[in-house]
Amino acid sequence: MSDWTLDYHGFEPSQEGVREALCTLGNGYFATRGAACEADASEIHYPGTYLAGGYDRLSTEIAGRVIENEDLVNLPNWLCLTFRPEGGDWFNPMAVELLDFHQHLDIETGVLKRQLFFRDHQGRETTLVTQRLVHMVHPHLGAIEWRIRPENWSGRVSICSALDGRVINAGVERYRQLASTHLVPLSSDSPSDDTIRLQVETRQSRLHIAQAARTQIRVAGQDVEGERQIIEESGYIAQETVLDLEAGKEAAIEKVVALHTSRDRAISEPGHAASQSVARAGTFAELYESHRRVWSQLWQRCDVELDGGGRAQMILRLHIFHLLQTVSPHSADLDVGVPARGLHGEAYRGHIFWDELFIFPFLNYRIPEITRALLHYRYRRLNEARHSAREAGYRGAMYPWQSGSDGREESQQVHLNPRSGHWIADNSALQRHVNAAVAYNVWRYYEVTEDREFLAYYGAEMLFEIARFWASAASWNAQRKRYDIRGVMGPDEFHDRYPDAEAPGLDNNTYTNVMAAWVLGRAVNVYDLIGERRRRELGVALGLSNHEVSDWLTIRQKLFVPFHGNGIPSQFEGYEHLEEFDWAGYRERYGDIHRLDRLLEAEGDTVNRYKASKQADVLMLFYLFSAEELGDIFAQLGYPFSGELIPRTIDYYQQRTSHGSTLSRVVTSWVLARSDRRQAWDSFLQVLQSDIEDSQHGTTQEGIHLGAMAGSVDLIQRGHTGLEVRDGMLRLNPCLPEALSGLRLQLCYRGDWLKLDLGEERLTLTAPEGWAGPERIMFRDEIYPFGEGQRLELNYSSEERCWLPNRE
Ligand code: BGC
């Protein structure tokens, strides 16, 4: 087994959905699932292609009301390629005897390969070897190569290469009652002998999409024309070629496809751009060569090497691979966000959530240009967020829980419980904490990059408007002399209201309130940081006064945080009155209780009654802040906080969490890294298994879980190295997982690259020649000088528990 390949031996129809998601190829501009070229959408296969930011909205009448949904649109299927011997059927692996089947995804070079040897009903034996890539250099190109060798037969064959725009969005079973036909055919033609072209438009967003496919056939190195004919129907065009094949002689078929849309820059018109791109594209071999070279550069920046990681190494690379396929250096020039389920399927409709929190840290230290672009996606939607805040009676900007094309709230109003068949009101849009995530991401990006221009011109404006929102969401409670934030949902989606309440929403969610306090404090700090001129400019543009800013400080010190029991921060006010849940009983009865909200609803009960969470909520605070930072925030709020509280709080909520979101295990592994290294590693392995083992039983085929994927890499990158930038100082506080004997990675800190080699008891840092980074770094609680060309060797012990390290 290689650390660079995802291998599948044997064809397993029931596994296809997961394999297709995990073998998706993409380049940040578009991605295509790893479905076989000859496969149409069926119960087994789902060949989806998605454009970053390619959305469309449709309305459906459901449960007595008309609801509108915005979806990431499944684009025309460009993979279509198949063949049949004269008098035989079109190739279908399920209708032949498969003598050998091997599929592998080459993670290092970004190529999906398949090797088949089969016998058909007539006894004809054939070898088929296929390769596919989605080009990382020219983001509009995809390419396929098929090599067919008749082993014991000769005869005429037809080869069919098509572009199929008759597809719909049907990748998620739960959404099947919703309107799903997004594409309207525009035209099809054949701009040159070997090229076909298809143009379609999305129904509502009027996104004009053009694909052109050039198909060429070679036998024994010679181009073969064959007898060609074009087959067309509405939304579909195919080129069929008939030629003679000889036993033992291989035919190579190459299909190169270009995809352009009306959102592209620097084009005249998508149809023209597509046929031009494909006419200018090199052969498969040439495309492969440039593609491979760029992937190799990406790996130089992004790889994380584990010593003794076993299969974990391959999975970790698979995660980095899918992250870079969803957002790549090409994203830097696009107006796109990072969808929670990648460009790998239709779950959550390609929407953007708070999952950025888990994704950006990896990018910040590797390709910060991508984070900058993704933050711009938020900045461009600031006006929409301002509008949402106003509509809801707040000030400032209120970002949506789910975001799509224009930044309006895209959360669904009702969702289907597949267990009960009931459509249930969906209140998840009350997760206002997404606003804190946007602000937090702005600040962390700045800390790592020191990108002053971004902070002053874009980041500050977002931060101030979000701070304003929190200030207006906080209401003074004269009785307790504190500010409350009422009527929200925390990250734990199991709780959307008090058990007997009519109206949704909970009061004083600890995570939300502490994050709001942090945002308010950070906004004041940034107000000072951006300098007098920019302060004045923003003051005029936003009508922001010193007085308003000083109010933020007051509110920040007086936000309420509920506690219960022995000083444990409560998930929300009144949490202690909920009933304890019978975890053991339900586990025994159902086995898998990840989604016990659905189980309970189907039983006529509600999870709102219990101390049972879907995912980390309070514990998110320990994930986002070092113990020391959190200590400061609590001190500013006037609440006690001690190192001893951390393990107790972790333990308390760990016992009450079902991990119904893959993000939850990332947080668990992170918070345990310092107290229980073995359990932390077990949780890390569970994070790694989220998609490769489809640990949530059926969700991976609908799209990967990008937050968990990126989070797993960050668990190594920052979690186990204790990497942190605070007060302008790069800090390290390592704690190697017990299962590893070492790890190596490179980090980009404020424009300079740094090598980090972590062994069992020693950390080695190397600054390259020309290092212009900071002259000092902090290791645990000591400051060390660090200069150009220097190699710093630092001894440590992973056994030491250090909750509150890094004290200056
Ligand atoms: C989780 C959210 C997450 C979303 C998208 C949900 O299941 O509860 O926290 O943002 O998935 O990944």
Side-chain angles (χ1 to χ4, degrees), residues 25 62 161 212 307 419 427 458-459 586 594 693 695 697 737 770 800:
L25 296 179
I62 214 111
S161 169
D307 293 332
R419 260 202 123 83
N427 296 306
Y458 308 101
Y586 269 75
H594 278 120
E693 299 295 340
S695 64
H697 310 297
E800 279 171 37

Side-chain angles (χ1 to χ4, degrees), residues 220-412:
Q222 300 293 314
D223 286 343
V224 175
E225 295 259 316
E227 297 156 29
R228 286 190 188 144
Q229 64 162 323
I230 299 290
I231 298 158
E232 281 178 278
E233 56 181 85
S234 178
Y236 174 87
I237 181 163
Q239 173 186 316
E240 220 175 290
T241 311
V242 178
L243 68 156
D244 290 313
L245 290 188
E246 255 180 69
K249 276 201 182 158
E250 188 176 80
I253 307 160
E254 269 189 34
K255 180 175 185 182
V256 177
V257 176
L259 163 66
H260 280 272
T261 81
S262 46
R263 284 177 59 130
D264 292 352
R265 302 186 196 192
I267 62 163
S268 158
E269 176 274 320
H272 173 259
S275 52
Q276 180 174 278
S277 289
V278 93
R280 292 177 181 175
T283 60
F284 184 90
E286 287 161 351
L287 290 172
Y288 168 74
E289 200 40 43
S290 49
H291 175 72
R292 185 189 64 74
R293 277 202 302 269
V294 166
W295 264 111
S296 143
Q297 280 171 353
L298 285 172
W299 283 115
Q300 278 172 34
R301 275 183 182 238
C302 297
D303 195 19
V304 172
E305 289 175 80
L306 304 182
D307 293 332
R311 191 168 143 84
Q313 173 72 81
M314 185 280 286
I315 305 176
L316 206 63
R317 287 185 170 138
L318 181 72
H319 289 182
I320 299 171
F321 179 71
H322 283 305
L323 179 60
L324 293 174
Q325 295 200 109
T326 308
V327 285
S328 78
H330 297 297
S331 317
D333 197 36
L334 303 174
D335 173 35
V336 297
V338 56
R341 304 297 284 274
L343 298 171
H344 297 58
E346 291 160 16
Y348 292 133
R349 308 188 163 80
H351 293 166
I352 294 121
F353 296 64
W354 73 323
D355 302 45
E356 293 170 335
L357 266 183
F358 297 80
I359 295 169
F360 287 2
F362 176 74
L363 297 171
N364 284 342
Y365 286 101
R366 307 306 174 104
I367 317 183
E369 299 77 8
I370 300 180
T371 319
R372 192 181 211 262
L374 297 171
L375 289 171
H376 270 289
Y377 164 86
R378 293 294 192 178
Y379 179 75
R380 291 191 198 98
R381 287 149 185 84
L382 184 55
N383 265 340
E384 188 59 39
R386 287 184 174 116
H387 174 76
S388 298
R390 254 193 329 272
E391 289 283 289
Y394 301 113
R395 299 188 64 224
M398 185 175 87
Y399 278 95
W401 172 239
Q402 295 189 27
S403 185
S405 61
D406 60 9
R408 75 181 89 167
E409 180 57 76
E410 300 292 358
S411 298
Q412 51 191 351

